[in-house]
Amino acid sequence: HYIDRTKEFGSIIYACAAVAFVDRNLGGRWGSRNRQAVNMFVRDVFSMEDEPVWFPKSRCFDWFSGHSWSSGIGEHLYGRHASNIEDDALLLFGIKAWARVTGDELVELQAALALGVLKEA
């Protein structure tokens, strides 16, 4: 149920950030019209909020290990599976880019912090 969200969601969020950026520069409003939908992807993998309760905080990112686990942060019968650093970086950079394009300074700072932790891991 948590398998490889960093990989798939990272690509989706990054693509949405790129579309919103280009569209905004062309005078469009794609980012604002789709903000709620894209934020659902962001909150599913990187929520730092207490509410709503159906999104666990930092679902896959392990702040102590400095990277994501493709199977979530819980222990499993055969151990945990570390995500590729490229998948983590794409996800976090995509979230940071999306937050910047949509003006969400708090999420942008949180993603920047996670990128810094990832870089040092």
Side-chain angles (χ1 to χ4, degrees):
H1 47 52
Y2 298 136
I3 304 298
D4 266 348
R5 283 197 159 137
T6 54
K7 187 175 195 171
E8 285 81 13
F9 284 20
S11 299
I12 292 167
I13 295 166
Y14 180 78
C16 289
V19 169
F21 177 79
V22 170
D23 187 62
R24 183 185 67 189
N25 288 341
L26 295 173
R29 299 187 54 229
W30 190 92
S32 60
R33 285 195 313 260
N34 293 284
R35 183 177 185 167
Q36 189 174 16
V38 177
N39 280 347
M40 294 292 277
F41 284 104
V42 172
R43 290 165 65 199
D44 188 19
V45 290
F46 196 70
S47 179
M48 300 298 281
E49 305 169 359
D50 291 328
E51 296 292 331
V53 295
W54 57 81
F55 293 115
K57 286 186 178 182
S58 290
R59 180 186 300 270
C60 297
F61 193 78
D62 185 337
W63 290 92
F64 297 101
S65 296
H67 60 83
S68 292
W69 299 101
S70 62
S71 54
I73 59 172
E75 292 293 335
H76 298 279
L77 181 62
Y78 300 108
R80 294 188 272 181
H81 307 283
S83 291
N84 293 332
I85 187 114
E86 299 87 5
D87 295 342
D88 277 350
L90 178 63
L91 173 68
L92 295 171
F93 184 75
I95 291 170
K96 186 174 187 282
W98 174 254
R100 178 169 287 182
V101 168
T102 58
D104 192 338
E105 293 179 22
L106 180 60
V107 172
E108 184 179 355
L109 290 171
Q110 290 167 342
L113 175 63
L115 278 167
V117 171
L118 178 67
K119 180 181 140 196
E120 297 299 322

